[in-house]
Amino acid sequence: MSTRTLIRGGILVTASDTFEADILIAAGKIAQIGMGLIPDDQTEVLDATGCYIIPGGIDPHTHLDMPFGGTVTADDFATGTTAAAFGGTTTIIDFCLTQKSRPLSESLQDWHRKAEGKAVIDYGFHLMIGEMNEQVLEELPQMIEEEGISSFKVFMAYKNQFQADDGILFQTLQKAKEYGALVMVHAENGDVIDLLVKQALAEGHTTPIHHALTRPSMLEGEATGRAARLAALADSQLYVVHVTCAEAAEQIARMREMGHRIWGETCPQYLTLDQSIMDQPDFEGAKYVWSPPLREKGHQEALWNALQSGQLQTIGSDHCSFNFKGQKDLGKDDFSKIPNGGPVIEDRLSILYSEGVAKGRISLNQWVDLCSTRASKLFGLFPQKGTLAVGTDADIVIFDPSITRVISVETHHMNVDYSAFEGMQVQGCPVTVLCRGEYVIRDRQYVGNAGAGKYVKRNKYDAGAPIPPRQPVTAIHGGRN
């Protein structure tokens, strides 16, 4: 393609502004924004009439080529990032799992090998912290300063697999404040869940619905509140991943109202699907086994209210795909052995536009903030990514709000044999996607290259960034069953 591209005729949408303008791209960056820009003979002109021009989506929560439950996720960095690009995402931050007694740097190199030569869009890594000892303490500054990893994840669930105790979480929070990192937490009470699972199996309950029944929302709310209070005690910063329920959203809201640096993410599946879909015959419910699980439908209203009021700040996909046949069926006779996770990465932006903007639940600017800008700020990518401004990476999505499509396994690009949103009609679709000025998707066709995606080193968390004023906690209540 030309080294210069002029996009004109569209409506630019950022987290704060909506306006008509042209965008000139040169050498992978946004070179100029204005009305009536004139191209020269070396500039390709791209007509975006009738479309929104938005910053490329940033998915802060993916699991590609990840081992779990005796198998490995179906999407690797080639198929996963291709599907992400079709969905309007130009940067992902994937989770690097670590192992106890093994240097963090070795696990990180494993994840670099998984991505190099495969990713078609840009990527970064979060780093799991499962223990806190002298070796980990020595490596943490290197991870931040040299490797550009400014976010660490602690699991409060998956007992005897990933789960860390409260002491490790608290130490991680302390070090995060000292070094300038953001601590992420999977907030469920793993000890009680482990007991409930054992009790359910002993009583002969083996079907997928019992995955949800043994992980009640009360335990997510309890763990979220506990983690938030530990963060407050450490005067640190905390990001709660995949919030599913009113109890957890309320805990985040309360702590933010008190001035603590607590942030929350939810996902499209928790906004649109509910627990009843797991109670299907013929093991069909296994397709929808996530952790935390889908909730009763009333929780959806609480989550939408929290997004609208700003008490939840980002949308991740938690993309963790496993095939129904050959992977999910590892738990055919024991729900606790069903690999947890589902395919979401391709439909994140479209579902949020269709269910959020088109239905009047959130504004256009909130949509961009939730799907791109806020994550770029929290995870040290701003202003390089996550906005449209002169000098930023030309990560750009041309999104046509007039297109209606039906989500289906027959048309998606994820490497998995089912769609979690099969048959859902959505309004709006990414039609052209550029990453650093290079086409990845053009007119809804893949034109990218494996390995074109680059690893992005991220800046430290800005602990001085103020928490913006939000609506009262009561704004997120209501709708629970």
Side-chain angles (χ1 to χ4, degrees), residues 308-330:
Q308 193 280 328
S309 67
Q311 301 295 5
L312 294 176
Q313 297 80 30
T314 65
I315 298 294
S317 68
D318 192 13
H319 181 80
C320 191
S321 59
F322 297 98
N323 284 306
F324 182 57
K325 295 181 179 179
Q327 291 188 300
K328 289 284 190 178
D329 53 13
L330 291 170

Side-chain angles (χ1 to χ4, degrees), residues 122-349:
D122 291 349
Y123 59 94
F125 299 130
H126 309 292
L127 197 62
M128 171 189 165
I129 302 296
E131 60 183 347
M132 190 61 71
N133 53 36
E134 289 304 316
Q135 178 177 289
V136 172
L137 290 172
E138 287 180 6
E139 285 196 272
L140 284 180
Q142 174 193 346
M143 293 296 106
I144 298 171
E145 300 288 349
E146 298 179 20
E147 302 293 343
I149 295 178
S150 55
S151 47
F152 304 121
K153 184 177 183 181
V154 178
F155 286 90
M156 301 174 75
Y158 299 115
K159 188 174 177 65
N160 301 319
Q161 187 173 10
F162 299 140
Q163 184 176 330
D165 61 33
D166 286 355
I168 291 172
L169 173 56
F170 186 68
Q171 281 185 286
T172 304
L173 287 161
Q174 289 179 316
K175 293 302 175 184
K177 181 189 178 186
E178 179 181 350
Y179 297 141
L182 179 60
V183 177
M184 312 173 76
V185 66
H186 176 134
E188 290 184 286
N189 189 316
D191 290 328
V192 177
I193 288 170
D194 184 64
L195 179 61
L196 291 175
V197 169
K198 289 176 180 176
Q199 290 175 344
L201 292 173
E203 294 169 1
H205 302 305
T206 62
T207 56
I209 187 62
H210 292 281
H211 173 79
L213 298 178
T214 56
R215 305 178 86 103
S217 61
M218 185 181 297
L219 294 183
E220 183 184 344
E222 182 276 328
T224 300
R226 179 159 38 103
R229 284 161 180 79
L230 290 175
L233 182 62
D235 190 24
S236 190
Q237 45 275 347
L238 181 75
Y239 178 98
V240 184
V241 301
H242 50 42
V243 173
T244 75
C245 62
E247 292 95 329
E250 288 166 3
Q251 292 293 330
I252 293 168
R254 284 198 175 93
M255 297 303 286
R256 286 175 60 81
E257 288 293 321
M258 294 168 64
H260 299 296
R261 299 185 297 278
I262 314 296
W263 311 90
E265 161 201 286
T266 191
C267 310
Q269 55 269 35
Y270 302 119
L271 295 166
T272 58
L273 305 177
D274 67 81
Q275 182 177 303
S276 64
I277 203 170
M278 298 175 65
D279 195 15
Q280 298 185 68
D282 301 322
F283 198 60
E284 284 289 314
K287 295 176 178 178
Y288 309 98
V289 168
W290 280 279
S291 288
L294 298 174
R295 303 300 185 190
E296 293 177 317
K297 191 174 181 63
H299 288 276
Q300 293 174 10
E301 181 183 347
L303 295 179
W304 280 112
N305 287 343
L307 290 174
Q308 193 280 328
S309 67
Q311 301 295 5
L312 294 176
Q313 297 80 30
T314 65
I315 298 294
S317 68
D318 192 13
H319 181 80
C320 191
S321 59
F322 297 98
N323 284 306
F324 182 57
K325 295 181 179 179
Q327 291 188 300
K328 289 284 190 178
D329 53 13
L330 291 170
K332 185 76 174 178
D333 301 313
D334 179 349
F335 71 86
S336 70
K337 295 180 181 178
I338 300 170
N340 291 192
V344 185
I345 201 168
E346 187 168 348
D347 299 308
R348 186 178 66 107
L349 265 74

Side-chain angles (χ1 to χ4, degrees), residues 421-433:
F421 307 100
E422 185 69 39
M424 178 186 291
Q425 181 172 292
V426 290
Q427 183 73 35
C429 180
V431 292
T432 295
V433 178

